């Protein structure tokens, strides 16, 4: 996590980091004042997890954090749960809101804190107000897979805070900060891209699995359609065969009926002719009967014979009529059976056609789904390729940063070597300076003697507008002061020294350069 808190005071940041225990992963800072919690009825110390659990009742949005912390399997102690809760609150950027609700309820806090604790006073509200600044920070902290119960660690915030010692090396600090920021930015981008690549890989795998499932379903559907088509062809062929057989059977029955009708007609015609002949004979015989009684007996016999013949003919006619009725009934039954069978075949063919149409619709849907999946897969592959290109670009940038680091380390080594050479030369120069200082002091004594003889030049106030040493402009707040040794005009900061001079035994105002020169002279004159 990168904390950029430029502009904050060091005291504010230390108070905030001291108040937030283990927000960054370590054991946190220790408060300067007492934050001891009370002992409960069972005489054990309540931990910080107790008041943090109360936040769920006061702030309903904190229930998700509490539930997720309780569901974490690796946490065993209340302190570990509190650390996980604080990390999740930092990532939600709502830590200040949660703790503000908690600090307002002093009655609830009195169960966990003493009356003189920091949380029970106004300073706790001030610290919670300072925590609002943490909402600017984008925190990405690990919760799973870390030992939060017994974790020891300290985050070094010195490189992110202003330090008085680093004011002289501003350019170097700016370069280091820029390199570190770039490194952290590239690492975060790399992590995000790795996570996106892994998610895309998982999505591609799931799509491939779904694609294979759809292909299998399509193959099964095609096989089912082929089977249904074969069954339909078989049923149609069977239907055609049955129709052919029924038609042949009907034709045969029609031929038989026609032949029987023809025979019946022929036999009836013959019988009619015989009957007419018998009637004629009867008429003839009746006419002859009147002529002779002897011929009556013979005619009666002939009539009896003819009646027997007519009875036989009527019986034969009745049999033929019964056969005709039976054949007609058989024909009607055959026609009914044929109609029923045709209806069944038609219903079966309709149901098969409906099934085929449904299967064809399913085929069309599966083909469209396949097309959509293929397009989606192509887009995912393009996204993967783009992500890979971005990853390669970022890797190149990281390699460049590593090379810049190496160059920076080499420059640091060269700088140290140059510093060593500088120190050696400086020592040699100091030795030479000590030798020269004696001669300079003698020359300065001679010059001072000449100045004392000639008289000091006392610079006028109107002639000086800037300090001679720091070159700052004089104003109402920055006033002018004369050095009693050289007579030049300086500001208060550059002439805030007092020393006795040969001209005055009392200590008078002297500038910094004259002060250093006079002290050096006095130290060199001492044995």
């Amino acid at each position: 996590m990168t904390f950029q808190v430029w502009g904050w005071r060091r005291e504010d940041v230390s108070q905030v980091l001291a108040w937030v225990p283990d927000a960054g992963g370590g054991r946190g800072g220790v408060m300067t004042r007492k934050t001891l919690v009370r002992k409960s009825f069972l005489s054990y110390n309540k931990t910080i997890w107790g008041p943090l659990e109360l936040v769920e009742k006061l702030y309903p949005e904190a229930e998700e954090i509490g539930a997720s912390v309780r569901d974490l399997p690796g946490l065993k102690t209340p302190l570990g749960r509190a650390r996980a809760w604080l990390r999740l609150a930092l990532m939600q950027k709502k830590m200040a809101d949660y703790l503000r609700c908690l600090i307002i309820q002093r009655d609830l806090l009195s169960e966990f804190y003493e009356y003189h604790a920091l949380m029970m006073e106004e300073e706790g509200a001030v610290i919670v107000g300072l925590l609002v600044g943490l909402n600017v920070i984008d925190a990405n902290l690990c919760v799973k897979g870390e030992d939060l119960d017994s974790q020891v660690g300290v985050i070094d915030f010195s490189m992110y805070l202003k330090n008085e010692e680093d004011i002289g090396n501003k350019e170097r600090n700016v370069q280091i900060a820029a390199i570190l920021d770039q490194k952290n930015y590239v690492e975060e981008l790399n992590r995000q891209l790795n996570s996106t690549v892994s998610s895309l890989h998982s999505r591609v795998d799931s799509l491939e699995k779904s694609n294979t499932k759809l292909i299998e379903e399509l193959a099964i559907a095609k096989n089912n359609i082929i089977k249904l088509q074969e069954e339909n062809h078989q049923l149609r062929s069977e239907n055609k065969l049955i129709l052919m057989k029924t038609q042949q059977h009907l034709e045969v029955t029609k031929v038989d009926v026609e032949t029987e009708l023809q025979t019946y007609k022929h036999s009836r015609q013959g019988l009619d002719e015989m009957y007419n002949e018998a009637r004629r004979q009867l008429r003839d015989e009746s006419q002859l009967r009147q002529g002779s009684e002897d011929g009556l007996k013979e005619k009666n016999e002939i009539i009896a014979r003819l009646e027997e013949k007519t009875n036989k003919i009527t019986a034969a006619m009745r049999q033929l009529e019964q056969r005709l009725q039976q054949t007609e009934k058989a024909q009607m039954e055959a026609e009914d059976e044929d109609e029923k069978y045709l209806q069944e075949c038609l219903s079966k063919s309709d149901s098969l056609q409906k099934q085929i149409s449904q299967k064809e619709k399913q085929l069309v849907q599966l083909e469209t789904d396949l097309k959509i999946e293929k397009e989606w897969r192509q887009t995912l592959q393009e996204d993967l390729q783009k992500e890979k290109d971005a990853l390669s670009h970022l890797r190149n940038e990281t390699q460049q940063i590593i090379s810049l680091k190496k160059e920076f380390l080499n420059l640091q080594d060269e700088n140290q070597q140059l510093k060593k050479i500088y120190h050696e030369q400086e020592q040699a120069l100091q030795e030479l300076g000590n030798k020269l200082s004696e001669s300079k002091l003698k020359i300065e004594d001679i010059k001072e003697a000449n100045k004392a003889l000639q008289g000091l030049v006392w610079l006028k106030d109107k002639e000086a507008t800037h300090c001679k040493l720091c070159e700052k402009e004089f104003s109402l707040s920055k006033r002018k002061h004369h050095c009693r040794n050289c007579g030049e005009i300086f500001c208060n900061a550059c002439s805030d020294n007092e020393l006795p001079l040969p001209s005055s035994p009392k200590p008078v105002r002297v500038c910094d350069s004259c002060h250093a020169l006079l002290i050096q002279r006095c130290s060199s004159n001492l044995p």
Side-chain angles (χ1 to χ4, degrees), residues 443-458 468 483-488 502-503 511 513-514 517-518 521:
I443 292 164
E444 284 175 357
D445 290 334
I446 294 164
K447 284 181 179 178
E448 283 182 358
N450 287 327
K451 282 181 182 179
L453 292 170
Q454 291 175 1
L456 292 170
V457 177
W458 191 262
K468 191 175 181 182
C483 177
R484 300 298 189 274
N485 187 31
C486 62
E488 296 289 338
S503 59
C511 65
S513 57
C514 292
L517 198 143
L518 290 168
R521 189 184 300 165

Side-chain angles (χ1 to χ4, degrees), residues 210-254:
S210 63
N211 196 3
T212 52
K213 286 180 181 177
L214 286 169
I215 289 165
E216 290 174 357
E217 288 177 358
L218 221 168
I220 292 162
K222 283 182 178 178
N223 292 324
N224 290 326
I225 288 164
I226 290 162
K227 287 178 181 178
L228 287 169
Q229 286 177 354
E230 289 176 355
E231 288 177 358
N232 193 5
H233 287 304
Q234 287 177 0
L235 288 168
R236 282 179 179 175
S237 61
E238 288 176 358
N239 194 4
K240 286 178 181 178
L241 289 169
I242 290 161
L243 285 169
M244 291 288 288
K245 286 179 181 178
T246 52
Q247 285 176 359
Q248 288 175 0
H249 185 67
L250 283 168
E251 287 175 357
V252 171
T253 52
K254 282 179 181 179

